[in-house]
Amino acid sequence: MKTMQGIESRRRAVRGLLARAAAYTVLYVLLASTARLLVGDQLSAFIADATSVWVEVPEESADLYRLLGYQEGSTVNGNPQFRDLRDYHGVVAIIEGPVLWGIYAVGLLGVSAWWAASRTREVDELTHAVGRAAAGEQGVLLPPELTRAQDEFDRLVEHEEARGRAVEAAEARKNELVAYLAHDIRTPLTSVIGYLSLLADEPDLPRDRRERYVCAAFEKAQRLDGMMGEFFEITRYNLGAIPIEREHVDVRLLLEQVADEVFPLAEERGVAIDLEVPEGTAAFIDPDKMARVLGNLMKNGIAYADAGTALVCRARTEGERLVLEVEDTGREISPAHLKSIFEKFYREDGARSGKGAGLGLAIAREIVEAHGGSIEAASDVGVTTFTVALPR
């Protein structure tokens, strides 16, 4: 899109220059023709008088001068007059050739320079306006001759403001999340220390109580580990773009490996995992990064699927695309949440962006887009499907 806009902008610039050059050419021809009509005869006579003299020729030599092409004038003292106009024709040729074309060329260069200077001024005006807008100034206006640029500039400013608001909102959500996590970490940490202190201070505790304390400490430690994982997830997301290293991958094998990783979670939730992948399905992708995408989608589906249902993972090829689908039956996603579900740190109730930092689906989208693909979600009548489309 940007390339097409740049080409169109250059085309408009070339058309503008050609139009001004054509207008100057027409004006120059009109002025030259008018000058020829008004002062052409007088100028011609002046040049002839300045470059030649009349010479009296005897009558018997008149025919020879006429044969040589000399201009014949009036008779003086009974003898005809002749003059040599070769210098005159030479001067006229110079005027009608190099002089007129030189003046035209100089004028054309002047028009081009004027046009270029006006474009430079417009660029300076636009650059100055961008600087003022970047400094936070509101309602920046361009000169009237930049009406078209004003429209584009207003759209650019609006887009940047929207992006700035989105960044601020994401930063605010992240800071809020970090604050909550920092506060909540104290609770399981205090519990772990408390139970371990009891075990250390009372070595003769009954076996059943000791086991209860150990289980409670282990449970709180797991919760603490999950919170620390959320911290690391936030940090990793803010480190920058995710690098992609592709290789040829057996898609069925990849899905089986990811399914094995999430099987304990599915078993605990009472959710089955079904794979529908044709044999021989292959793709040129980053297996580690795509396993992370599929793992996030499967965990998300298992977390919100109803017990006794199946999480269905499909893969198929459509031309030069590989299409992956993860489908679950359970809690629905509202249309309002579908619009923002892939935004980072998005954690609205029922949005399915995750119970943690709200980064699982955002990271999945970033990985998929780094592959040159797309990811989308659809939810209807309790059936939610995440679809990933990748170039093979």
mmCIF file of all heavy atoms in Angstrom, residues 246-250 282-285 287 392:
data_model
loop_
_atom_site.group_PDB
_atom_site.id
_atom_site.type_symbol
_atom_site.label_atom_id
_atom_site.label_comp_id
_atom_site.label_asym_id
_atom_site.label_seq_id
_atom_site.Cartn_x
_atom_site.Cartn_y
_atom_site.Cartn_z
ATOM 1 N N ARG A 246 13.101 -21.171 10.349
ATOM 2 C CA ARG A 246 12.253 -22.180 9.718
ATOM 3 C C ARG A 246 13.033 -23.456 9.369
ATOM 4 O O ARG A 246 14.238 -23.418 9.136
ATOM 5 C CB ARG A 246 11.620 -21.613 8.444
ATOM 6 C CG ARG A 246 10.642 -20.482 8.668
ATOM 7 C CD ARG A 246 10.131 -19.974 7.326
ATOM 8 N NE ARG A 246 9.107 -18.963 7.470
ATOM 9 C CZ ARG A 246 9.347 -17.668 7.631
ATOM 10 N NH1 ARG A 246 10.598 -17.235 7.679
ATOM 11 N NH2 ARG A 246 8.358 -16.800 7.737
ATOM 12 N N GLU A 247 12.277 -24.534 9.300
ATOM 13 C CA GLU A 247 12.784 -25.801 8.785
ATOM 14 C C GLU A 247 11.592 -26.633 8.340
ATOM 15 O O GLU A 247 10.439 -26.324 8.667
ATOM 16 C CB GLU A 247 13.600 -26.546 9.840
ATOM 17 C CG GLU A 247 12.812 -26.899 11.108
ATOM 18 C CD GLU A 247 13.691 -27.580 12.131
ATOM 19 O OE1 GLU A 247 14.391 -26.869 12.885
ATOM 20 O OE2 GLU A 247 13.670 -28.832 12.145
ATOM 21 N N HIS A 248 11.860 -27.689 7.562
ATOM 22 C CA HIS A 248 10.770 -28.552 7.098
ATOM 23 C C HIS A 248 10.280 -29.417 8.262
ATOM 24 O O HIS A 248 11.078 -30.080 8.935
ATOM 25 C CB HIS A 248 11.244 -29.423 5.939
ATOM 26 C CG HIS A 248 11.556 -28.641 4.700
ATOM 27 N ND1 HIS A 248 10.567 -28.142 3.880
ATOM 28 C CD2 HIS A 248 12.725 -28.231 4.165
ATOM 29 C CE1 HIS A 248 11.111 -27.484 2.878
ATOM 30 N NE2 HIS A 248 12.426 -27.520 3.030
ATOM 31 N N VAL A 249 8.970 -29.392 8.492
ATOM 32 C CA VAL A 249 8.390 -30.023 9.682
ATOM 33 C C VAL A 249 7.229 -30.934 9.283
ATOM 34 O O VAL A 249 6.419 -30.583 8.413
ATOM 35 C CB VAL A 249 7.895 -28.943 10.676
ATOM 36 C CG1 VAL A 249 7.171 -29.580 11.851
ATOM 37 C CG2 VAL A 249 9.057 -28.087 11.151
ATOM 38 N N ASP A 250 7.157 -32.110 9.917
ATOM 39 C CA ASP A 250 5.997 -32.988 9.800
ATOM 40 C C ASP A 250 4.921 -32.436 10.740
ATOM 41 O O ASP A 250 5.067 -32.486 11.965
ATOM 42 C CB ASP A 250 6.377 -34.420 10.194
ATOM 43 C CG ASP A 250 5.236 -35.415 9.983
ATOM 44 O OD1 ASP A 250 4.075 -35.066 10.303
ATOM 45 O OD2 ASP A 250 5.501 -36.526 9.521
ATOM 46 N N ALA A 282 3.132 -31.459 5.584
ATOM 47 C CA ALA A 282 4.405 -30.845 5.962
ATOM 48 C C ALA A 282 4.346 -29.346 5.732
ATOM 49 O O ALA A 282 3.506 -28.833 4.996
ATOM 50 C CB ALA A 282 5.555 -31.456 5.165
ATOM 51 N N ALA A 283 5.248 -28.629 6.399
ATOM 52 C CA ALA A 283 5.313 -27.175 6.243
ATOM 53 C C ALA A 283 6.724 -26.704 6.556
ATOM 54 O O ALA A 283 7.483 -27.391 7.257
ATOM 55 C CB ALA A 283 4.303 -26.480 7.150
ATOM 56 N N PHE A 284 7.073 -25.539 6.050
ATOM 57 C CA PHE A 284 8.382 -24.920 6.296
ATOM 58 C C PHE A 284 8.176 -23.829 7.341
ATOM 59 O O PHE A 284 7.835 -22.695 7.015
ATOM 60 C CB PHE A 284 8.929 -24.338 4.991
ATOM 61 C CG PHE A 284 10.367 -23.902 5.086
ATOM 62 C CD1 PHE A 284 11.363 -24.804 5.404
ATOM 63 C CD2 PHE A 284 10.715 -22.585 4.843
ATOM 64 C CE1 PHE A 284 12.691 -24.407 5.484
ATOM 65 C CE2 PHE A 284 12.041 -22.174 4.922
ATOM 66 C CZ PHE A 284 13.026 -23.090 5.237
ATOM 67 N N ILE A 285 8.342 -24.182 8.619
ATOM 68 C CA ILE A 285 8.026 -23.285 9.731
ATOM 69 C C ILE A 285 9.089 -23.437 10.821
ATOM 70 O O ILE A 285 9.948 -24.321 10.754
ATOM 71 C CB ILE A 285 6.637 -23.597 10.321
ATOM 72 C CG1 ILE A 285 6.561 -25.062 10.753
ATOM 73 C CG2 ILE A 285 5.526 -23.269 9.331
ATOM 74 C CD1 ILE A 285 5.249 -25.467 11.403
ATOM 75 N N PRO A 287 9.572 -24.843 14.177
ATOM 76 C CA PRO A 287 8.804 -25.806 14.988
ATOM 77 C C PRO A 287 8.664 -25.379 16.444
ATOM 78 O O PRO A 287 7.609 -25.585 17.051
ATOM 79 C CB PRO A 287 9.615 -27.102 14.848
ATOM 80 C CG PRO A 287 10.996 -26.652 14.460
ATOM 81 C CD PRO A 287 10.814 -25.415 13.649
ATOM 82 N N ARG A 392 3.016 -22.248 3.164
ATOM 83 C CA ARG A 392 3.699 -23.529 3.329
ATOM 84 C C ARG A 392 5.169 -23.408 2.978
ATOM 85 O O ARG A 392 5.981 -24.194 3.484
ATOM 86 C CB ARG A 392 3.059 -24.585 2.429
ATOM 87 C CG ARG A 392 1.645 -24.934 2.832
ATOM 88 C CD ARG A 392 1.097 -26.026 1.939
ATOM 89 N NE ARG A 392 1.833 -27.269 2.096
ATOM 90 C CZ ARG A 392 1.748 -28.300 1.275
ATOM 91 N NH1 ARG A 392 0.935 -28.210 0.224
ATOM 92 N NH2 ARG A 392 2.426 -29.385 1.465
#
